Amino acid sequence: MGENIEDIKKPGKKFGIGIEKWQVVWEFSKIFIIATLIVLPIRYFLFQPFIVKGDSMVPNFQSGDYLIVDEISTKFSGFKRGDVIVFKYPKDTTQRFIKRIIGLSGETVEILDGKVKILKDGESFVLNEKYLPDNLKTYGNMKIQIGEKEYFVLGDNREFSYDSRIWGIVPAEDIIGKVFLRLFPIAALSKFNVPNY
């Protein structure tokens, strides 16, 4: 029972736990500083949010999907065919695009009769894109050599995608990162896995 009204009126007793106001402010400030030191590096150097706009990645990604982009792991492991990446559009680096890596450095990509063929070191194979509907064709007959630290990218919605068939390759330095996680919509929450070819 020990505490009386006079004790409560004394400095430092206002909160009933003996902590001065400035100490409470300092505790909150420390929490804010620590949270900032943790969140900012994650936000700017490790992971970054990205909202899909448009239908170029339908049916696998819809307009409005909220994605988390991994910016760090690719600095150690590089990119693989099938990775979905977010990058600066080479013709206007203020814009961000999302596409799928189809051709890797040193390869030649040939699109003919609706199929995508990869050629390297005298060998070639037709790309089996299991993530696309069976009847989907890749329009725009072409053949393009990919240089070092460059990638050829396509949207999954081949009929309506503005991609490497039109404006060319993506330099590695323009790539922000690869899609790691879809957070929204909640019903579609999922970790993104690169398909096997």
Side-chain angles (χ1 to χ4, degrees):
M1 307 291 224
E3 198 169 44
N4 61 37
I5 293 175
E6 291 303 315
D7 287 333
I8 292 171
K9 287 182 180 176
K10 287 179 184 176
K13 294 286 185 175
K14 185 170 183 181
F15 299 100
I17 52 173
I19 297 177
E20 300 286 349
K21 283 183 188 179
W22 67 269
Q23 287 177 305
V24 172
V25 171
W26 173 239
E27 290 301 317
F28 278 114
S29 298
K30 282 198 297 191
I31 292 168
F32 177 77
I33 291 166
I34 292 168
T36 301
L37 290 174
I38 292 169
V39 170
L40 285 182
I42 289 173
R43 166 64 178 81
Y44 288 103
F45 302 108
L46 301 176
F47 299 98
Q48 192 171 138
F50 179 80
I51 297 174
V52 178
K53 291 181 183 172
D55 297 325
S56 75
M57 291 301 289
V58 169
N60 296 301
F61 297 91
Q62 308 293 327
S63 188
D65 281 2
Y66 189 92
L67 310 175
I68 299 298
V69 176
D70 174 4
E71 297 182 74
I72 192 71
S73 71
T74 53
K75 290 183 178 16
F76 304 103
S77 62
F79 296 98
K80 300 190 286 286
R81 191 182 335 278
D83 280 339
V84 174
I85 59 169
V86 172
F87 58 95
K88 300 172 190 171
Y89 171 44
K91 298 201 178 297
D92 179 1
T93 55
T94 63
Q95 294 188 55
R96 303 291 181 261
F97 278 20
I98 178 171
K99 305 291 176 196
R100 188 182 299 273
I101 291 179
I102 298 298
L104 306 171
S105 299
E107 296 179 337
T108 297
V109 175
E110 182 178 29
I111 299 173
L112 187 63
D113 299 327
K115 293 187 166 123
V116 180
K117 187 188 282 187
I118 306 294
L119 304 93
K120 186 174 183 180
D121 301 329
E123 296 182 7
S124 68
F125 64 93
V126 173
L127 206 55
N128 181 12
E129 300 184 86
K130 300 172 186 174
Y131 45 82
L132 299 180
D134 291 336
N135 59 351
L136 189 73
K137 293 187 176 181
T138 303
Y139 297 96
N141 293 350
M142 65 179 298
K143 192 172 186 178
I144 186 169
Q145 173 88 37
I146 306 167
E148 285 302 309
K149 297 185 177 176
E150 294 178 344
Y151 297 92
F152 183 89
V153 299
L154 294 174
D156 289 350
N157 189 359
R158 300 289 158 82
E159 192 174 351
F160 300 102
S161 178
Y162 183 63
D163 50 39
S164 286
R165 292 171 292 178
I166 299 161
W167 42 257
I169 53 84
V170 176
E173 66 264 22
D174 287 346
I175 300 176
I176 295 165
K178 66 179 179 180
V179 173
F180 167 69
L181 188 68
R182 177 177 12 222
L183 282 182
F184 186 83
I186 298 298
L189 176 66
S190 60
K191 184 174 181 283
F192 179 72
N193 295 312
V194 178
N196 294 321
Y197 288 95

